[in-house]
Amino acid sequence: MILAELTKLRRSALWAVAIVLPVLAVTAGSINYAANQGVLSAGWGSYWSQVVLFYGLFFMSMGVAVLASAAWRMEHRGHNRNLLMSTPARTAAIVGAKIVSLVLVVAVMQAMLLTLVVVVGVFVLDLEGAPPWEYVVVALLGVVAALPVVAVQSLLSMLIRSFTAPVAVGLLGCAIGTGLLYSGQGGVVSHLFPHSLVTSALFLGNGAVADSAGLDLAAVGPIVFAAVVLTTALWALSARLLSQRDLS
Amino acid sequence: MSHVITTEGLTKAYGSRTVVDSLDLRVPEGCVYGFLGPNGSGKSTTMKMLLSLVRPSRGEVSVLGRPMNHRTRHELAALIGSLIEAPPGYGHLTGRENMAIVRRMLGLTERQVERAVATVRLRDHMDKPVRAYSLGMKQRLGIAMALAREPRLLILDEPTNGLDPAGIEEIRDLLKSLADEGVTVMVSSHLLDEVDRMASVLGILGRGRLIFQGTRGELFDRSTPDLVLETPEPERVLDLGLSAVRTHEGLRLSGLGEDETADLVRRLVHHDVPVHGLYRVRRSLEEVFMDLTGREGLS
């Protein structure tokens, strides 16, 4: 099923999202960094904080929402869901393959972000020293933390034929996630909410963002644990709903 | 005779609206089963319930001797090829890539896929994106997707939609040859003539209810054809108190079975009415269908 899903990604518009969003994030972050030299300290840390600020709060989760809507739109169009459901695969495998293929695109999006951060930092902003290796860890952790967002957006897009409605719900999720993180309700509650988990992960080790934790096991462990638990629960729920709901 | 599909009281209701009502289908093994009915009569919903794409509100479905439901669907799916509502296909991919998806989802060999593509004569168009296909080509691709798994049962919803007459003839021959090889084919169509020429067993649906199921011969027996009486003196026949409609041949009499026809002949002889000819009208399947569905027709 995963190979079949990967075949569907060929020449798909999903890749445009994986490229455009990091370009927007790095462009906005670079402009912000360059325009605020007086306020920000010079160097990779400040530059990185500007890039991941909006990317962590909105861009990444919204990108996942658009990717999930586009991925399920392929199935809603042309009655491809009938084809999908007429295979011997169990619904858990169908949903699982869709989640895996989406995570692959998200990983490419993260790789694109890292590459652009380094290229712009070195060649455009002329930052001193080598880019810190921690950014690779944060980017990878971002992929893991995005798993529940992928799962929940995939579930919404599977149930709702509209392209925009799940994306709108995703935007609402970003707002709620940010609210949970910065309203003093953080901790366990924010770790149980997919969108705030992404923000928490991308802000790790980011000195420029208030309340961000350090990049250590005490911070990473709960994020990974919460991501695995939430994703498993959402995957199981998706499989059950797909199995029991009528195809209209 | 063993049945590949049986349903018992199969019903689907959406709220207070019942779209399929208490169907007892019997699809014999190795036949082409023509599933007829006006638009909106519940054919597609029934086919979706047979494939467990839609859950029945009531009733049971058995396919290939096993209960078909959302728990067993994946076990039976490898044996059932289907094309429901409209042909599937990912428009941004080529025909070849679409067939690769089917091959990977079903664990098929390249040879199985190539044979299915050759069967629907789509080999020359496999490198075009599906979005550039005509409706007929999409239909062929959908049938190839259904055939690739070499199914024991094919369920096809309006498979000849969008095909030109030559394409329709090809599909008709294909389905008949598959049935000859032992594959059971259930096919719905709004083209009665098409089903008439390929189906050996018919099921007719009207307003969600099965109003006929049986062979073509049994269907014609169900609906008695009109009698045409050729006579130069139709007034004398009408004077006998018979209900008839004047036509250019003479008179047309409806609803007369074998005994009533024999009685009519006796009375005509008794009253010395000149008779140049007396015969039953040859009826098309469509006329019989219109009779059974209460002139609801196919629109």
Side-chain angles (χ1 to χ4, degrees), chain B residues 146-160:
Chain B
L147 283 179
R149 67 191 85 186
E150 297 174 2
R152 284 180 59 194
L153 168 65
L154 257 183
I155 296 181
L156 305 175
D157 192 9
E158 309 264 359
T160 53

Side-chain angles (χ1 to χ4, degrees), chain B residues 87-105:
Chain B
Y90 299 93
H92 65 291
L93 300 176
T94 64
R96 193 176 307 284
E97 288 164 338
N98 270 277
M99 289 306 292
I101 288 171
V102 171
R103 179 170 61 78
R104 285 168 174 159
M105 286 197 298

Side-chain angles (χ1 to χ4, degrees), chain B residues 176-197:
Chain B
K176 280 198 282 193
S177 69
L178 285 168
D180 290 342
E181 291 168 20
V183 178
T184 306
V185 182
M186 182 182 195
V187 56
S188 74
S189 175
H190 68 282
L191 297 172
L192 289 170
D193 179 53
E194 185 183 301
V195 170
D196 189 21
R197 290 170 62 185

Side-chain angles (χ1 to χ4, degrees), chain A residues 91-183:
Chain A
T91 52
I94 293 171
V95 174
K98 191 65 87 182
I99 290 174
V100 168
S101 69
L102 282 168
V103 169
L104 182 83
V105 182
V106 171
V108 170
M109 189 163 82
Q110 291 293 85
M112 185 74 192
L113 179 85
L114 265 185
T115 307
L116 284 172
V117 163
V118 172
V119 168
V120 172
V122 172
F123 297 105
V124 180
L125 299 174
D126 202 19
L127 298 177
E128 281 185 21
W133 61 268
E134 286 90 343
Y135 299 167
V136 178
V137 178
V138 171
L140 279 173
L141 192 62
V143 177
V144 176
L147 276 168
V149 182
V150 169
V152 77
Q153 289 296 150
S154 168
L155 171 60
L156 289 169
S157 303
M158 179 187 89
L159 297 177
I160 307 169
R161 293 179 75 92
S162 153
F163 181 88
T164 49
V167 176
V169 175
L171 184 62
L172 186 67
C174 288
I176 294 170
T178 306
L180 282 174
L181 274 178
Y182 297 105
S183 65

